[in-house]
Amino acid sequence: MCTMYCPRPVVDTYNERLEITRAPHIDYAQAIPSSYYIDAKACLRVNFETCNLCAQTCTAGAIDFSQKPKNLELEVGAVVLTPGFGRVDESVLEKFGYGRYPDVLTAFEFERLTCASGPTEGHIVRPSDNRPPKKIAFLQCIGSRDETCGNGYCSSVCCMYAIKEASVAKEHEPDLDVSIFFMDVRTMGKGFDDARKRAQEKYGINVIRARVPRVDQVDGRLALTWTTDDGEHHSGIFDMVVLSVGLESPEDAEVISKVADIGLNRYNFCKTRVDSPLSTTREGVYVAGAFQGPKDIPESVTQASGVAAIASELLADARSSQTVSITYPEENKALEEQEPRIGIFVCHCGVNIAGVVDVKAVRDYAASLPGVVLYEDPLYSCSQDALKSIAEKIKENNLNRVVIAACSPRTHEPLFQETLRSVGLNPALVEMANIRDQCAWVHAQEPEAATEKAKDLVRMAAAKARLLSPLEQPTVDVTPGALVLGGGAAGMSAALSIADQGYNVTLIEKSRQLGGNLRRLTWTLDGENAKEVLEDMISRVEEHPGIEVITNSSVESISGYVGNFTSTIATGKKTRLVNHGVTVIATGAREYKPKSYAYGESPRIITQLELEEKLSRGRGFLKNARNIVMIQCVGSRGDDMSHCSRLCCTQAVKNALKLKELKPDANIYILYRDMRTYGFYEDAYREARKKGIIFLRYSPDEKPQVIKQARGIKVRTRDRLLGDDLEIPASLVVLSAGIEPGENQELSKILKAPLTSEGFFLEAHAKLRPVEIAVDGVYLCGLAHGPKSLEESVAQAKAAAAKATIPLAKGKVAVAPIVSRVDQDACIGCGICESLCPFNAIRLSKVGKRKKAQTITASCKGCGICASHCPTIAISMGGFTDEAIMAQIHAFSGRECGEE
Amino acid sequence: MSRIKAICCNYTLSVEPDALKSAGLVPEDVEFERLPCTGRLEVPELLDAFTQGAAAVFVVGCELDKCHNLSGSRRASKRVAQAKKILEELDMDPGLVEMFFAGRGETEPVVEAARLMAARAARAKKAQ
């Protein structure tokens, strides 16, 4: 309403300035919080004390112009900086015709064009003539990997988002011709390489390896010229050009740096160290997300959890010192058991529902339903006043069932459940009918039919409400300890964080000493001494009173559920039991053992880690080295393993720079497919080229060959610029062997933790739950999750620690009231439910002589898979009993339950 | 259809002529020649194009004050002016040879020139 009446048009910045909105508006329908706000810069009332139209039209009276900006002073123990990333300056984009030619768009603008709720409702059209384009070009690295604009780093995310946007565009318009211009295809995230391959194959997206220098407009179309790495010139005419702009440091980075007194790096991002990626240069001030360096959503979410762990370590003593707990009145069981006395509230939702559905008619209809003693039609049933009034009316009328005909239970059911609890009713006794989404919204053009449907829904809800029964909300005590599997960098970081937060940790390590793969590194990717990082970590773990380290051990079995795990730890032949509340998987991975390139046939053909080990023992072996050849993607990217191992490119560059430093006259060659030195690692790649390290690209169908001869080794590879084979006599061949998953199958079976097709552990959700697995109380970090750098492992370990301490800190695990329940008499112990449960929440146990299924309520998610598969219908779901659902169906067909 | 000869310098034709033709931006019968600089053009070369069967000839060089070789396009424009005079003496339309200027890497002026000259050639053919 406010948006409708506002006379002040403003540019819609959410839709990338492609559309106009009004001063009071909401960015998009699903925005959180889902309320409108007023653009104070444009508002006539705020600036000129005129208008006030919106305040008058708002039926909820929610617009209050008397509010003034306030300065707050908060006393806090830690500060977390998450300002995100900034925009690449428009002057950089102008080089590519942006602003001059209307059909040159940024990828952000293109994203809005492809969005169904965007300015064009998802139709891809050229801004110049509103016609659909036939040929689109994506230009990568705009404002990234470009020293001329001061951004020497790689923005890490643009390759993948360009592929995503190109795929979406092809999905909309299958005949579109889409080309993406890359320098290197940097899709190094977990599962990203597969997604890219699928996109290329499924949609036929052209991948062109070239950097387009400029965009020229010809007769309303866009002309591009480029040179490929074989030296050939090409040109093409396109209808639309999308600039894949990079991630810049936030505009106010310097202000933040001054206010928070923290250091910035040379690109104005927050300065951090490899072994503490979430700490700024000032103690107590932490950072997460793109301000720490360009990164994608999963990594940002991971860092955010990680930073919560650090703040929680710092503030462990103050935990729960300022919390307020809510007390509820005793449940009125006597009232609940009486004949149903139903109260029905039919919500107007302002004009949202009442604009279409005849709310008063629905309310009056509700009065005719059996068992209904109260019927009302609040304007906004979710507003504070209305909730209070609902609570009072429940009391006054001794209601024991409530039906709310309003919006979605997904968003609002907890609110009404809370209201019931506040007056001593079990929260399971409320039922919702969604007459907003299912009537007013989808049938906006047919008000009469919508009203009839609303009556149907209310009748069904009331029928179900009569059969609702109170559900228990049991809580389970939590054993205040964690089991961490794996004593590498990730496992140790997670253990330290959990222990620093005040909980006991048992750290299990398979080998005889802590350290994992970090032990084999000599330098970290940014050149710090890996040994020092390792020794510091080990001494902190060993000295920590809260951590017990058990080496030479492995887990034989883990039973139980979140809050109450019992594990059998085997050390040699001895076994012992450990009780713990949560489990962290940090079992790591290992360097792939090459099967090609004559590995193992000569001491001069080694892997990168072997090179580092040699280097840490001294430089003697380099004495006669003239040519050193490194080969990338050994084992990775379809060689033997399908995934990209993410860090070998940076590792190779790092080691090449080290070799160059020790032996400046040696020629160093790196044979690669795509150099994936993402983020600030790009600096090292540039430095390597400046120092004369030679990079030669090979394609997977023309792999380099390592030829062992009587005297020495030769590497043959194709030089694309010369168009000819090159033979390099090599004194040393270093293979960048990828990262191979460990033997995860057994642990996967023990924990019911799923694995990816490559054999790494699979997280519950890549973006929303990146360090949890589907089974409650089990968390994941480090190389066990997928290839990643030390820095990323440490951040992820902190994140896993943060998630793992949630149940530990709560002390109790609240069980969702809607869980499966097994009727022991009807159960025949077939075990179908146990095998199907994705959460490990139902199991067979001996009851008397026979096996019977039992729900572990603490782990049950209430998905209902077990109930729907039970052959004897022995399993029912609380809140969704068969009787209640049948009653709903009967009510729909107009019959009452039992009237058949 | 009549053949048209286009002579461009290295800095005024960055897009491949084939790409322009296949996108329908330039008529098929425009034949492009790319020179390092238009400054080396001589009048006989321009006239020779006509004897080779071209219906019109045009030259595209850098903008006068921004020529990569300082005075290359200025020289070329003088040669074109001389060629125009000779065409006049031969009773031909002097508009059939023309000089154009384009900014570095700008394709639009080249395309416009080609279209203009194609139109002139067609008009001249009609008048015959």
Side-chain angles (χ1 to χ4, degrees):
Chain A
M1 197 85 103
C2 47
T3 307
M4 219 155 69
Y5 280 92
C6 177
R8 190 75 172 178
V10 294
V11 177
D12 186 351
T13 47
Y14 177 76
N15 274 317
E16 292 291 327
R17 317 177 75 85
L18 295 168
E19 216 181 10
I20 298 287
T21 179
R22 300 281 159 167
H25 62 273
I26 186 164
D27 280 345
Y28 55 104
Q30 299 81 21
I32 294 174
S34 71
S35 40
Y36 285 63
Y37 69 97
I38 296 174
D39 182 347
K41 275 198 214 94
C43 176
L44 292 170
R45 174 71 173 76
V46 172
N47 293 292
F48 308 108
E49 304 254 323
T50 57
C51 188
N52 211 31
L53 267 179
C54 54
Q56 283 157 11
T57 53
C58 179
T59 50
I63 300 178
D64 174 11
F65 280 110
S66 67
Q67 289 178 341
K68 291 271 171 304
K70 276 186 279 191
N71 282 332
L72 298 179
E73 226 163 80
L74 302 174
E75 216 168 276
V76 295
V79 176
V80 178
L81 305 174
T82 52
F85 59 87
R87 291 286 177 105
V88 169
D89 198 64
E90 283 202 9
S91 64
V92 179
L93 310 181
E94 276 161 17
K95 270 205 299 199
F96 301 93
Y98 183 78
R100 219 160 2 121
Y101 308 137
D103 299 328
V104 178
L105 302 176
T106 66
F108 297 137
E109 290 168 342
F110 191 75
E111 176 90 29
R112 296 313 304 152
L113 282 190
T114 55
C115 178
S117 61
T120 56
E121 290 170 347
H123 297 294
I124 301 166
V125 293
R126 307 197 325 152
S128 62
D129 55 8
N130 276 325
R131 296 237 302 267
K134 290 193 189 72
K135 272 180 88 176
I136 300 185
F138 281 80
L139 309 189
Q140 297 306 108
C141 299
I142 307 293
S144 323
R145 301 181 71 185
D146 180 1
E147 284 218 292
T148 61
C149 70
N151 292 354
Y153 57 87
C154 159
S155 291
S156 308
V157 301
C158 331
C159 282
M160 198 59 206
Y161 82 53
I163 287 164
K164 183 207 79 174
E165 287 188 357
S167 306
V168 171
K170 285 289 273 188
E171 199 104 334
H172 279 268
E173 312 282 344
D175 296 332
L176 256 184
D177 181 322
V178 183
S179 304
I180 309 184
F181 291 85
F182 290 102
M183 290 203 281
D184 294 285
V185 185
R186 293 190 170 171
T187 48
M188 60 277 160
K190 188 176 181 182
F192 284 9
D193 240 1
D194 276 345
R196 173 191 56 81
K197 243 182 7 213
R198 273 201 307 276
Q200 265 172 264
E201 282 159 14
K202 183 174 168 197
Y203 299 112
I205 293 164
N206 307 319
V207 168
I208 302 171
R209 275 169 201 279
R211 190 162 194 170
V212 178
R214 62 195 295 276
V215 178
D216 188 21
Q217 181 169 283
V218 187
D219 199 23
R221 301 175 71 189
L222 300 160
L224 305 182
T225 54
W226 66 91
T227 309
T228 43
D229 62 357
D230 49 9
E232 294 272 339
H233 291 282
H234 303 269
S235 18
I237 310 289
F238 294 85
D239 300 315
M240 188 187 256
V241 168
V242 181
L243 305 178
S244 295
V245 288
L247 309 188
E248 177 81 74
S249 60
E251 281 90 13
D252 48 358
E254 274 163 23
V255 180
I256 295 171
S257 137
K258 226 177 258 161
V259 171
D261 191 18
I262 54 155
L264 300 177
N265 72 9
R266 59 178 287 220
Y267 297 121
N268 266 5
F269 285 87
C270 188
K271 197 173 185 173
T272 57
R273 281 164 48 97
V274 165
D275 56 343
S276 52
L278 307 174
S279 302
T280 67
T281 50
R282 181 177 175 187
E283 209 178 341
V285 182
Y286 306 105
V287 61
F291 185 35
Q292 192 258 339
K295 59 178 60 62
D296 59 9
I297 297 171
E299 270 186 78
S300 293
V301 172
T302 303
Q303 284 203 334
S305 295
V307 100
I310 301 185
S312 183
E313 289 164 25
L314 190 71
L315 307 176
D317 293 339
R319 190 190 294 275
S320 304
S321 61
Q322 291 188 23
T323 49
V324 182
S325 45
I326 313 169
T327 49
Y328 296 99
E330 187 92 1
E331 223 175 280
N332 188 344
K333 295 234 164 96
L335 176 64
E336 285 170 358
E337 278 162 22
Q338 282 170 24
E339 264 306 283
R341 292 174 58 82
I342 305 176
I344 297 190
F345 298 87
V346 185
C347 183
H348 285 252
C349 198
V351 290
N352 240 325
I353 295 172
V356 179
V357 173
D358 185 346
V359 170
K360 297 238 186 288
V362 177
R363 179 202 64 186
D364 294 339
Y365 172 77
S368 69
L369 298 169
V372 174
V373 294
L374 179 82
Y375 47 97
E376 300 237 322
D377 57 325
L379 193 54
Y380 291 98
S381 49
C382 60
S383 67
Q384 282 302 321
D385 306 352
L387 288 172
K388 221 194 241 162
S389 132
I390 291 174
E392 279 161 15
K393 290 196 170 125
I394 294 173
K395 267 194 177 154
E396 279 168 25
N397 297 286
N398 275 331
L399 302 180
N400 57 10
R401 301 287 186 277
V402 176
V403 172
I404 308 279
C407 53
S408 168
R410 281 177 68 116
T411 53
H412 282 71
E413 198 170 36
L415 203 63
F416 297 114
Q417 288 177 335
E418 194 68 17
T419 305
L420 261 68
R421 278 186 86 182
S422 73
V423 292
L425 279 181
N426 188 290
L429 298 176
V430 64
E431 179 63 21
M432 286 185 78
N434 188 353
I435 62 168
R436 184 191 64 180
D437 302 19
Q438 293 169 14
C439 302
W441 281 1
V442 288
H443 305 296
Q445 307 305 322
E446 314 152 88
E448 273 164 37
T451 304
E452 284 313 303
K453 186 175 173 189
K455 287 179 184 172
D456 287 343
L457 289 178
V458 169
R459 184 173 70 243
M460 290 164 71
K464 187 181 169 195
R466 275 194 292 282
L467 293 173
L468 287 177
S469 52
L471 294 176
E472 275 179 59
Q473 262 205 308
T475 51
V476 182
D477 284 333
V478 172
T479 313
L483 179 75
V484 177
L485 305 175
M492 286 195 287
S493 301
L496 278 168
S497 178
I498 296 172
D500 281 341
Q501 293 180 61
Y503 305 99
N504 291 328
V505 179
T506 313
L507 181 59
I508 308 291
E509 168 56 38
K510 196 166 61 181
S511 71
R512 63 184 172 81
Q513 54 185 351
L514 293 172
N517 286 311
L518 182 53
R519 197 165 276 286
R520 298 185 69 190
L521 287 189
T522 310
W523 308 282
T524 62
L525 291 183
D526 66 353
E528 283 179 54
N529 188 327
K531 291 274 172 292
E532 279 171 22
V533 174
L534 175 71
E535 271 153 28
D536 172 58
M537 244 184 217
I538 291 180
S539 69
R540 277 192 294 149
V541 166
E542 283 175 344
E543 282 160 23
H544 205 293
I547 304 177
E548 185 191 357
V549 180
I550 310 179
T551 51
N552 282 324
S553 302
S554 59
V555 176
E556 244 166 35
S557 73
I558 299 180
S559 63
Y561 47 87
V562 55
N564 291 281
F565 288 108
T566 303
S567 302
T568 315
I569 312 295
T571 312
K573 278 185 187 148
K574 276 190 290 184
T575 60
R576 62 178 268 203
L577 293 179
V578 175
N579 290 322
H580 50 105
V582 291
T583 310
V584 178
I585 303 175
T587 47
R590 58 187 172 213
E591 190 185 39
Y592 168 80
K593 211 168 160 50
K595 298 191 181 86
S596 46
Y597 299 119
Y599 178 74
E601 290 173 29
S602 158
R604 291 197 282 153
I605 302 174
I606 58 177
T607 67
Q608 291 285 359
L609 278 182
E610 286 163 358
L611 170 69
E612 291 198 22
E613 279 161 347
K614 263 182 189 272
L615 280 172
S616 68
R617 287 197 295 268
R619 65 176 84 173
F621 72 102
L622 287 175
K623 213 168 137 202
N624 297 317
R626 278 190 47 77
N627 293 325
I628 301 169
V629 183
M630 296 185 175
I631 302 175
Q632 299 303 110
C633 294
V634 178
S636 310
R637 298 189 65 193
D639 203 14
D640 222 7
M641 308 177 286
S642 66
H643 61 271
C644 162
S645 295
R646 192 174 172 99
L647 44 89
C648 340
C649 283
T650 310
Q651 191 184 21
V653 167
K654 173 193 77 174
N655 288 345
L657 280 170
K658 209 74 196 180
L659 290 173
K660 198 79 189 167
E661 186 189 311
L662 297 173
K663 182 94 179 146
D665 57 338
N667 300 314
I668 304 175
Y669 299 83
I670 297 185
L671 315 183
Y672 70 100
R673 283 178 57 188
D674 293 284
M675 280 312 285
R676 292 185 165 173
T677 45
Y678 57 94
F680 302 126
Y681 301 140
E682 181 72 12
D683 284 347
Y685 177 32
R686 196 172 37 252
E687 192 194 334
R689 279 175 301 166
K690 275 188 189 151
K691 294 226 165 116
I693 291 163
I694 297 161
F695 290 84
L696 295 171
R697 189 165 81 79
Y698 72 87
S699 82
D701 44 352
E702 283 178 316
K703 277 192 192 149
Q705 287 168 289
V706 176
I707 304 154
K708 245 193 93 197
Q709 292 169 318
R711 295 194 49 186
I713 302 161
K714 251 184 357 193
V715 178
R716 185 183 295 151
T717 188
R718 192 156 186 83
D719 185 318
R720 304 177 72 83
L721 197 54
L722 295 177
D724 213 345
D725 280 352
L726 212 61
E727 275 188 4
I728 309 166
S731 349
L732 188 66
V733 175
V734 187
L735 305 178
S736 291
I739 294 171
E740 185 180 52
E743 282 139 6
N744 294 333
Q745 278 78 9
E746 204 181 326
L747 189 58
S748 152
K749 256 185 234 149
I750 292 176
L751 283 165
K752 238 187 177 182
L755 297 178
T756 65
S757 57
E758 289 109 15
F760 293 104
F761 281 99
L762 179 67
E763 61 273 34
H765 188 289
K767 292 183 176 63
L768 303 175
R769 297 169 66 197
V771 295
E772 293 160 76
I773 65 165
V775 182
D776 266 0
V778 184
Y779 309 90
L780 176 60
C781 62
L783 296 180
H785 162 271
K788 60 180 62 65
S789 68
L790 174 62
E791 186 178 5
E792 290 156 353
S793 276
V794 170
Q796 206 185 19
K798 293 272 185 200
K803 289 289 175 188
T805 46
I806 292 174
L808 299 181
K810 281 188 178 161
K812 283 183 186 341
V813 186
V815 176
I818 296 167
V819 292
S820 78
R821 236 162 271 266
V822 184
D823 177 352
Q824 298 274 323
D825 294 334
C827 176
I828 53 168
C830 65
I832 289 177
C833 48
E834 186 186 30
S835 68
L836 289 173
C837 178
F839 307 107
N840 228 357
I842 197 160
R843 64 178 167 203
L844 291 181
S845 54
K846 274 239 165 104
V847 176
K849 276 189 181 165
R850 308 179 67 172
K851 282 200 162 176
K852 299 278 183 192
Q854 248 178 353
T855 305
I856 301 159
T857 45
S859 305
C860 180
K861 297 269 177 226
C863 68
I865 289 176
C866 52
S868 60
H869 281 84
C870 179
T872 58
I873 321 180
I875 303 177
S876 68
M877 306 301 298
F880 293 92
T881 56
D882 289 347
E883 296 81 33
I885 292 170
M886 286 312 284
Q888 253 183 316
I889 295 168
H890 286 305
F892 175 62
S893 61
R895 283 176 302 171
E896 281 306 313
C897 185
E899 265 180 36
E900 285 156 84
Chain B
M1 293 295 268
S2 18
R3 236 157 36 80
I4 292 160
K5 171 103 179 183
I7 302 167
C8 299
C9 83
N10 192 35
Y11 305 95
T12 52
L13 186 69
S14 54
V15 178
E16 297 291 322
D18 283 348
L20 293 174
K21 285 179 188 169
S22 66
L25 292 168
V26 165
E28 279 292 331
D29 47 9
V30 180
E31 186 188 297
F32 283 90
E33 187 182 343
R34 190 171 181 167
L35 299 178
C37 178
T38 52
R40 71 168 286 277
L41 270 178
E42 295 296 343
V43 179
E45 275 181 80
L46 293 170
L47 298 178
D48 193 43
F50 287 100
T51 59
Q52 300 285 333
V57 180
F58 70 97
V59 181
V60 190
C62 305
E63 282 167 354
L64 281 176
D65 51 343
K66 287 178 195 152
C67 180
H68 184 79
N69 296 317
L70 300 177
S71 58
S73 59
R74 190 177 302 278
R75 278 176 63 100
S77 68
K78 281 183 188 160
R79 302 284 178 274
V80 170
Q82 286 164 350
K84 275 176 179 292
K85 257 191 207 142
I86 294 169
L87 287 195
E88 240 170 305
E89 285 167 16
L90 294 170
D91 256 355
M92 282 171 74
D93 178 4
L96 292 177
V97 59
E98 197 65 78
M99 180 76 200
F100 296 90
F101 304 99
R104 176 171 279 220
E106 279 176 18
T107 315
E108 183 121 302
V110 180
V111 169
E112 274 171 8
R115 288 178 179 174
L116 182 71
M117 293 309 283
R120 280 188 192 175
R123 225 178 17 242
K125 200 175 175 191
K126 241 188 196 166
Q128 273 173 12

